Amino acid sequence: MGGYIPSSPDERGGMLQAVGVSSVEALFSQIPAAVRAGTLDLPEGLSELEVRRRLEALAAKNQVFRSVFRGAGAYRHYIPAIVRGVTAKEEFLTAYTPYQAEISQGILQSIFEYQTMICELTGMDVSNASVYDGASAAAEAAAMCRDRKRQRILISAAVHPQVIETVQTYAFGAGVPVEQIPLRDGRTDPDALRAALAPDVCCVLQQQPNFFGLIEEVRAEAVHAAGAKLILSVNPISLGLLETPAGQGADIAVGEGQPLGMPLAFGGPYLGFMACTKALMRRLPGRIVGETADARGNRAFVLTLQAREQHIRREKASSNICSNQALCALTAAAYLSAMGPGGLREAAEQCAAKAQYAAGRLCEIKGVSLAYAPPFFHEFVTRLPVTPDAVLAALEAEGILGGLPVDGGILWCVTELCSKAQIDEMVGVVREVCET
Amino acid sequence: MKLIFERSRPGVRCGLLPPCDVPKALPAAPLRSCPPRLPEVAEIDISRHYTALAKEAHGVNDGFYPLGSCTMKYNPRINEEMAALPGFTGLHPLQPVETIQGALEVLCMAERLLCEITGMDAMSFQPAAGAQGEFAGLLLIKAYHASRQDTVRKKILVPDAAHGTNPASAAMAGYDVVSIPSNERGCVDLDALRAAAGPDTAGLMLTNPNTVGLFDENILEITNIIHDAGGLCYYDGANLNAVMGIVRPGDMGFDVVHLNLHKTFSTPHGCGGPGAGPVGCRQFLAPFLPGEQAVEQGGGFTLEQSTASIGRVKLFYGNFLVVVRALSYLLSLGREGIPEAAQNAVLNANYLMTLLQDRFDIAFSKGVMHEFVITLEHEKKRTGVTAMDIAKAMLDYGIHPPTMYFPLIVHEALMVEPTETEGRAALDEAARILHEILDRAQSDPAALHSAPQTTCVGRPDEVGAARTPRLRYSFPAAQ
């Protein structure tokens, strides 16, 4: 019923006449009858009001929790109102990739600003215009490090399990081996890492803070001494406070940018950020915006270093990627502008303080303890005297989404959005389950 | 225009967070030695900055956008409102399954409708974009051959008119790429295809209608040649808008497809993303699909991952909010609206071509579907005016130019795809402008070399940009 065809029946008739055919059907005459579809088994089209009712009914079947203590790769943070104000602008929403620089300066400049902010956050030299998400960013980063002699990818078992899976899938495509470095007490085992650093290793991928929320001691010298590259997958909010990937010796920094102003949204769209040292610049996949000038000497921005890309290099390109997550990159840039250096640090400090407060309160409960030694950022694992399911069900009944069940306990996440009262309430429910 | 960093003044900030209500406690770990140089600005600075940037951008709502192969159709507002419902945006991806029943139903409904449109049996929404859909689709082919211990199939056949992503995706999937030449009609050369297909063929990647806008009428023969050689057929859904509801890739003999929800199903392009590139397949490939699948079970919905899956290509379930928008569109159009959109897309392309073809050379004008390719090869010889010059001149008239210099098999190409959401008046006006530009090209070619004149910047120095890359803002030295 709905449709978005602006021509009137009369106009369409006139257009058919101009083309010189009697019906629109004649324009499809080269399609062999043998392959023509009959009427498809689709529902009748609906009016806008009916569509609204259908989708509102579907949305109402979901439960949105009033308190969330679950992270594990998707983090609920405060989203300043100005962020949505920026990303709702139709010029940004409905434009394509900025191929025509002269009418796309606004888009190109916003990406250039985003690239600068990612460089500032990570301490790295060069950022691309973003990729699909943190997992594909990690997989693309591993591909950047490969050459003929070095193909093996080492990945810490404390990296997000879905990131490990994604790296494995990309490696299956390329036909290269992936090896996991085992853990000791929730962190990458340094002895196992050293032992695994064979001459065919191209890179080591670690997550900081790791999947269990723990801050790892990164050993860049060992990785570099073995001739491999170090990739750190980092949480961008933590970089308001914690040492940068560059400061830890990373060659490539990647991460999931969702915490920078994007809603949880059942897992997407999110944002993969990627930044690297200058030495690796020409191996970076994806769009990159550069500053230049026009003939009149005006500052201008363009898509650049395109000799890396699929539309020029085809099968020899550094990646097949041709889009970025521009609107999500714009979201991140607007978020970081609103937060500023002080606001970002404040958010990071509040995350850390509230996570430590929640961990302390939980550990006051008989039988509850930290599974792994601190330091941690805003996630931590507790052991429990009861099953995780019992705790989580009791929380769910109160409209609270508890942490994620993991081996040996529950992985909790506490952000600046969790008030002290909400933390205390959550702890109260857990106490009741554990102590009765 | 000033960069946001140039608007920064120390000490300015937005008041966003309440004071911390628990004792301050920093982790005992190395902290960063200096803060990131993010802008220090007030909300009005941010608002004015991005409003100014938006004025230097051109979206679908700013004017005609006939960017060939990109299907820049109108993005309906209702889809945006539905994707912004808190019942969707507020869901954590790892919530208990009984609390995400509506979201799983969205995925199942979208899968069923899109499978019906493509003639496929199953679909995964994991891939975030067309290129990732291609990559995932090729891995399905790879996993299928591997599951049969058929290890000698190392080659993917790709027509020379294909999008650059096709060969790049095949290379990422570990395949050697064999380029198949086009015939004089712009379609697949059957003899060349027969000669290339053999026991080492893993599959063929094809888009139909192809990149010059023609429906390859030999399509059944093409897919048969590949199947007879033991390979599989991959359908690049880039051009599905021309034929949706009229002919289905599955019925043409394709085994795997990817769709671009941001093209065919009207979700916005967002300056280059996020889109969604779901990958669909016939039943025998379904066990290999990436990630978890939403499935209906016992009156409810749940998530399942097959043990034979190629693994995931992305976090969670793909770009979920993009799928919500596409579902909203599918429900709006329905049974009649889907083919009607295709018919009007084809009518619009043919009408615009008719208005132009008396003076512009069309590369392959017979049987054009949703897009056509202008070649300015003669014009360039005659006047020195290139496809680039014509495209840049269009900017001065408020029209986004067509895709330039693609496909590679056409010289001085401009690829025009009006889409169904333009009315007759917009097409008439575009034709008038193109004729006017051609007049100018013939009377004063030098002027066109310096177009555009009315935009905020002229043609940027791209060579200089690549030679001396400046990829981030250089902060002034601290005082």
Side-chain angles (χ1 to χ4, degrees):
Chain A
M1 176 173 181
Y4 300 95
I5 313 291
S7 298
S8 72
D10 274 359
E11 285 172 322
R12 286 204 292 276
M15 288 160 72
L16 284 169
Q17 208 171 8
V19 172
V21 293
S22 56
S23 73
V24 75
E25 184 50 39
L27 297 172
F28 291 84
S29 59
Q30 68 274 41
I31 300 181
V35 298
R36 288 291 291 258
T39 304
L40 295 187
D41 180 18
L42 298 173
E44 252 178 72
L46 302 176
S47 65
E48 183 173 310
L49 178 55
E50 290 167 303
V51 170
R52 180 183 296 275
R53 285 179 178 147
R54 280 296 288 283
L55 281 155
E56 282 176 349
L58 286 168
K61 289 186 188 175
N62 299 317
Q63 183 180 349
V64 176
F65 290 90
R66 62 186 173 81
S67 286
V68 175
F69 294 94
R70 188 168 292 191
Y75 301 99
R76 196 164 143 270
H77 289 282
Y78 182 66
I79 301 175
I82 185 68
V83 173
R84 289 197 187 96
V86 169
T87 54
K89 289 180 188 299
E90 292 185 352
E91 295 86 346
F92 295 134
L93 185 69
T94 67
Y96 199 72
T97 301
Y99 289 139
Q100 296 291 341
E102 299 85 348
I103 52 165
S104 308
Q105 284 301 300
I107 298 166
L108 290 160
Q109 181 175 327
S110 78
I111 296 173
F112 184 81
E113 291 171 353
Y114 160 84
Q115 290 173 183
T116 306
M117 291 181 197
I118 294 299
C119 289
E120 283 296 314
L121 275 187
T122 58
M124 306 304 294
D125 302 323
V126 184
S127 161
N128 69 9
S130 75
V131 295
Y132 308 132
D133 68 354
S136 58
E140 293 275 8
M144 281 170 70
C145 302
R146 278 203 321 262
D147 60 29
R148 233 173 250 172
K149 286 187 189 153
R150 293 179 174 268
Q151 304 247 309
R152 181 180 302 275
I153 298 163
L154 295 186
I155 184 164
S156 163
V159 170
H160 193 294
Q162 296 202 2
V163 175
I164 295 179
E165 262 194 68
T166 304
V167 171
Q168 285 170 334
T169 307
Y170 275 65
F172 163 63
V176 300
V178 180
E179 191 181 325
Q180 285 192 45
I181 312 165
L183 306 183
R184 190 198 295 162
D185 301 328
R187 291 179 171 85
T188 314
D189 182 339
D191 298 327
L193 169 62
R194 280 196 194 90
L197 279 167
D200 67 337
V201 170
C202 65
C203 66
V204 175
L205 172 60
Q206 288 188 263
Q207 183 176 321
Q208 181 77 302
N210 73 20
F211 180 65
F212 306 108
L214 305 173
I215 298 171
E216 296 244 8
E217 204 175 310
V218 173
R219 291 169 175 83
E221 310 78 31
V223 174
H224 290 149
K229 302 275 191 291
L230 176 66
I231 305 168
L232 283 184
S233 174
V234 290
N235 178 312
I237 299 286
S238 78
L239 296 181
L241 185 62
L242 301 181
E243 177 61 289
T244 62
Q248 297 173 73
D251 300 283
I252 309 173
V254 297
E256 176 49 67
Q258 174 270 331
L260 303 175
M262 278 144 266
L264 293 171
F266 199 50
Y270 288 179
L271 168 74
F273 62 85
M274 282 188 91
C276 64
T277 58
K278 202 158 187 190
L280 289 170
M281 174 176 74
R282 287 178 199 270
R283 308 191 93 176
L284 202 55
R287 304 292 189 194
I288 299 177
V289 171
E291 185 188 326
T292 184
D294 70 3
R296 292 165 248 161
N298 298 311
R299 175 162 68 185
F301 300 95
V302 287
L303 294 172
T304 193
L305 301 182
Q306 299 197 64
R308 305 160 295 118
E309 292 189 57
Q310 46 76 31
H311 61 285
I312 310 277
R313 297 270 285 165
R314 298 177 79 82
E315 65 267 26
K316 295 188 185 65
S318 53
S319 166
N320 70 342
I321 194 163
C322 47
S323 56
N324 65 343
Q325 300 273 299
L327 203 67
C328 300
L330 181 71
T331 306
Y335 174 85
L336 289 169
S337 299
M339 298 301 279
L344 188 69
R345 174 150 183 134
E346 178 67 25
E349 284 189 2
Q350 290 204 15
C351 285
K354 288 178 181 222
Q356 291 200 45
Y357 173 76
R361 291 293 321 274
L362 282 167
C363 289
E364 289 167 8
I365 300 169
K366 197 168 170 234
V368 176
S369 61
L370 284 180
Y372 309 114
F376 55 81
F377 175 55
H378 69 347
E379 290 182 280
F380 56 91
V381 178
T382 58
R383 293 202 186 89
L384 300 158
V386 294
T387 64
D389 285 354
V391 169
L392 296 173
L395 289 169
E396 197 182 317
E398 300 296 324
I400 301 168
L401 181 62
L404 187 74
V406 292
D407 271 354
I410 291 181
L411 171 63
W412 302 91
C413 174
V414 189
T415 72
E416 83 284 1
L417 271 184
C418 305
S419 68
K420 178 172 178 293
Q422 285 175 309
I423 297 170
D424 290 341
E425 181 196 18
M426 176 274 284
V427 172
V429 174
V430 177
R431 179 187 300 278
E432 200 159 308
V433 177
C434 291
E435 293 186 349
T436 53
Chain B
M1 183 180 332
K2 277 187 177 177
L3 291 171
I4 188 102
F5 306 102
E6 293 162 344
R7 294 174 183 265
S8 180
R9 284 142 302 126
V12 179
R13 59 186 299 177
C14 304
L16 297 169
L17 298 178
C20 194
D21 54 3
V22 303
K24 193 172 167 172
L26 296 180
L31 304 183
R32 64 183 302 152
S33 49
C34 58
R37 287 170 289 183
L38 299 172
E40 297 181 75
V41 286
E43 186 168 321
I44 187 171
D45 299 323
I46 301 171
S47 194
R48 290 217 171 123
H49 179 69
Y50 284 106
T51 297
L53 290 185
K55 284 180 184 159
E56 296 186 0
H58 181 101
V60 168
N61 293 355
D62 292 299
F64 190 38
Y65 214 128
L67 191 63
S69 107
C70 299
T71 315
M72 298 300 290
K73 61 171 77 177
Y74 176 68
N75 310 128
R77 293 307 307 179
I78 181 71
N79 304 352
E80 295 308 307
E81 287 195 20
M82 296 303 95
L85 290 172
F88 294 133
T89 59
L91 291 188
H92 192 287
L94 300 174
Q95 283 189 199
V97 76
E98 70 274 11
T99 65
I100 52 171
Q101 288 296 299
L104 298 181
E105 194 172 341
V106 163
L107 293 174
C108 283
M109 278 174 77
E111 180 186 11
R112 194 173 58 71
L113 298 175
L114 292 171
C115 280
E116 175 64 13
I117 289 170
T118 54
M120 294 290 123
D121 298 313
M123 191 167 285
S124 163
F125 291 99
Q126 261 226 333
Q132 210 185 25
E134 289 178 20
F135 175 58
L138 288 165
L139 291 187
L140 298 187
I141 293 175
K142 187 169 180 159
Y144 166 77
H145 291 310
S147 75
R148 296 156 43 94
Q149 278 78 48
D150 189 348
T151 54
V152 298
R153 297 186 181 273
K154 302 279 189 207
K155 291 182 179 165
I156 291 284
L157 313 187
V158 181
D160 58 1
H163 299 116
T165 48
N166 288 180
S169 299
M172 271 177 77
Y175 284 114
D176 297 329
V177 178
V178 179
S179 182
I180 305 295
S182 305
N183 62 20
E184 70 293 342
R185 288 205 60 238
C187 293
V188 174
D189 184 318
L190 288 180
D191 291 335
L193 185 68
R194 276 194 205 94
D200 60 354
T201 301
L204 166 78
M205 298 181 85
L206 196 67
T207 173
N208 194 24
N210 63 19
T211 54
V212 294
L214 305 185
F215 190 92
D216 201 319
E217 54 196 13
N218 298 321
I219 189 62
L220 284 177
E221 198 161 353
I222 291 168
T223 51
N224 277 337
I225 290 170
I226 299 303
H227 286 150
D228 288 348
L232 298 182
C233 297
Y234 180 97
Y235 182 84
D236 177 336
N239 295 342
L240 185 70
N241 202 47
V243 293
M244 63 171 176
I246 289 165
V247 53
R248 310 192 304 171
D251 298 335
M252 297 184 221
F254 288 95
D255 307 293
V256 191
V257 309
H258 91 261
L259 301 176
N260 299 86
L261 298 188
H262 45 283
K263 295 180 181 176
T264 319
F265 299 98
S266 88
T267 73
H269 285 77
C271 307
V279 59
C281 63
R282 308 250 315 276
Q283 194 56 48
F284 71 97
L285 293 172
F288 305 116
L289 282 172
E292 300 99 330
Q293 286 289 108
V295 291
E296 196 165 357
Q297 198 180 67
F301 297 88
T302 190
L303 286 163
E304 277 180 0
Q305 184 160 9
S306 150
T307 51
S309 165
I310 57 165
R312 55 176 61 249
V313 294
K314 194 182 180 304
L315 290 171
F316 308 118
Y317 326 106
N319 285 342
F320 175 72
L321 295 183
V322 178
V323 181
V324 172
R325 290 176 172 92
L327 179 62
S328 173
Y329 181 74
L330 285 163
L331 292 174
S332 296
L333 264 59
R335 192 163 54 220
E336 311 79 20
I338 292 287
E340 190 181 55
Q343 287 164 352
N344 282 283
V346 171
L347 173 59
N348 278 0
N350 276 277
Y351 177 67
L352 183 56
M353 184 179 76
T354 300
L355 298 181
L356 296 175
Q357 66 184 356
D358 56 331
R359 293 183 63 205
F360 287 87
D361 293 332
I362 311 296
F364 302 94
S365 61
K366 194 167 169 291
V368 151
M369 305 282 300
H370 66 302
E371 65 191 3
F372 58 93
V373 182
I374 296 171
T375 169
L376 291 146
E377 201 175 4
H378 285 121
E379 210 51 51
K380 187 183 172 189
K381 277 188 195 138
R382 201 149 50 128
T383 64
V385 168
T386 63
M388 169 83 84
D389 294 330
I390 300 280
K392 295 301 179 192
M394 291 172 80
L395 299 176
D396 282 328
Y397 293 88
I399 289 184
H400 194 290
T403 297
M404 309 185 299
Y405 299 98
F406 185 82
L408 306 178
I409 58 168
V410 178
H411 295 141
E412 294 299 320
L414 287 179
M415 183 191 216
V416 185
E417 181 183 13
T419 85
E420 73 277 13
T421 60
E422 295 299 333
R424 180 176 181 170
L427 302 175
D428 288 339
E429 175 66 2
R432 186 193 66 74
I433 289 168
L434 274 163
H435 281 288
E436 190 176 314
I437 292 171
L438 195 61
D439 288 339
R440 288 175 52 204
Q442 290 166 358
S443 63
D444 185 10
L448 253 61
H449 297 319
S450 57
Q453 292 293 339
T454 59
T455 48
C456 62
V457 298
R459 291 189 206 184
D461 176 8
E462 295 193 15
V463 175
R467 191 173 294 149
T468 322
R470 275 177 291 169
L471 309 178
R472 52 164 299 169
Y473 175 62
S474 303
F475 289 91
Q479 269 111 51

